[in-house]
Amino acid sequence: MAKIFCIANQKGGVGKTTTSVNLAAALGVSGKKTLLIDIDPQGNASTALGIDHPEGTPGIYEVLVDGTPMADVIQQCPDVDGLWVCPATIDLAGAEIGLVASVSRETRLKDALTAFFKDYSVDYVLIDCPPSLGLLTLNALVAAQEILIPIQCEYYALEGLGQLLRNIGMVQEHLNRELIVSTILLTMYDGRTKLADQVANEVRNHFGDIVLRTTIPRSVKVSEAPGFGQSVMTYDPGSRGAMSYLDAAREIAERGTRELA
Ligand code: ATP
Ligand code: MG
């Protein structure tokens, strides 16, 4: 059974895409078959993994709106064996509106994955959400079992989190009873500032052990890698950024094992 994570936070620029891409690559290089679904019209995750996605490229839009099988649109990541990507194009910007009138519009992604798993198996599915709580994020929350919330170690980090958690509550109540907020990852941690420590402590006190022990440092290599169409895992495997995403992936995999035992 695949573990399906939705990487969500309606706050923009907190590291959702960076986390999705690098965790997916870290899981891939660790031998876990992983599918990354880019459900953000910005298509940043597709770019960052070296997947061509000009307008018209078949991807998540076709899956959600036309019912195209997931298997027909996924592409293998050129740099990481065991990592596949369902790309997003700017066409997806129209999907929110296109889906409004559709039948079972919130379960499109879930239905697509259920059909996909009849013929294929992977260990992990990671869904990179846009910075909003619209129909695209809703599809991700309905399809997922677990939510990973990246939190940036900066001022206003917790702003909007209440709204996100209330929305998740509604999804749990009405659309996906199995959904849990299983994981929080502190991102862009700058050890030189007191503020980063304060935010990290506040988040740990509030959320307890769903916060991963690993924090992701602010690192130039992490921010440079997408410009080369690569995750930091292949762009600079020895860097602190790469190591920390590898640690985060290990923690997530270990938790999974603990849960089953
Ligand atoms: P959006 O809400 O627009 O989808 P996001 O939550 O996906 O944004 P990212 O795109 O992952 O956020 O990151 C925002 C910016 O911060 C990017 O320019 C990215 O390169 C940079 N960034 C993310 N993580 C790190 C890090 N650990 N070190 C340095 N820069 C980082
Ligand atoms: Mg993003």
Side-chain angles (χ1 to χ4, degrees):
M1 262 280 277
K3 286 189 152 276
I4 308 174
F5 282 82
C6 161
I7 293 67
N9 190 336
Q10 87 273 26
K11 198 167 156 55
V14 297
K16 291 180 290 295
T17 299
T18 305
T19 295
S20 303
V21 162
N22 291 305
L23 259 189
L27 288 163
V29 299
S30 310
K32 310 279 187 201
K33 271 195 191 170
T34 302
L35 170 64
L36 182 142
I37 299 175
D38 188 352
I39 199 167
D40 184 344
Q42 299 179 98
N44 294 152
S46 311
T47 307
L49 288 171
I51 306 291
D52 257 351
H53 60 108
E55 209 173 334
T57 307
I60 190 67
Y61 177 91
E62 284 69 17
V63 171
L64 295 175
V65 177
D66 303 335
T68 303
M70 181 73 77
D72 292 0
V73 304
I74 61 178
Q75 298 187 37
Q76 160 107 58
C77 172
D79 300 306
V80 181
D81 287 343
L83 175 56
W84 284 264
V85 180
C86 174
T89 64
I90 190 66
D91 304 314
L92 191 59
E96 297 259 7
I97 294 165
L99 282 173
V100 164
S102 318
V103 197
S104 60
R105 57 191 181 181
E106 318 86 3
T107 61
R108 290 295 178 113
L109 181 57
K110 184 187 175 65
D111 297 343
L113 281 173
T114 306
F116 178 74
F117 290 135
K118 287 199 176 123
D119 298 318
Y120 301 90
S121 74
V122 296
D123 298 303
Y124 290 92
V125 177
L126 305 186
I127 310 169
D128 181 29
C129 290
S132 66
L133 293 169
L135 208 39
L136 293 171
T137 299
L138 189 58
N139 263 273
L141 291 173
V142 169
Q145 301 140 352
E146 304 188 31
I147 304 167
L148 185 161
I149 306 177
I151 294 183
Q152 186 183 358
C153 296
E154 292 286 352
Y155 273 123
Y156 310 125
L158 303 180
E159 194 184 66
L161 219 52
Q163 197 196 350
L164 174 64
L165 294 174
R166 277 192 297 281
N167 275 275
I168 291 169
M170 280 195 275
V171 173
Q172 287 165 328
E173 202 174 319
H174 299 291
L175 294 165
N176 184 0
R177 283 188 189 286
E178 275 144 51
L179 185 67
I180 52 168
V181 180
S182 67
T183 314
I184 288 178
L185 179 61
L186 293 163
T187 64
M188 296 183 239
Y189 179 84
D190 184 346
R192 294 166 307 181
T193 68
K194 267 200 187 134
L195 175 66
D197 263 333
Q198 280 166 7
V199 173
N201 287 334
E202 196 178 336
V203 171
R204 287 190 192 284
N205 288 336
H206 195 270
F207 291 101
D209 63 6
I210 65 168
V211 186
L212 294 184
R213 290 188 305 276
T214 307
T215 54
I216 307 302
R218 185 176 279 285
S219 128
V220 174
K221 297 287 182 190
V222 169
S223 58
E224 275 175 2
F228 296 85
Q230 288 189 43
S231 72
V232 75
M233 308 308 303
T234 57
Y235 177 64
D236 190 348
S239 65
R240 283 194 326 134
M243 296 309 228
S244 61
Y245 273 112
L246 210 49
D247 286 344
R250 202 173 296 130
E251 259 192 79
I252 287 171
E254 279 168 8
R255 290 174 154 201
T257 323
R258 269 214 316 266
E259 236 171 52
L260 286 173

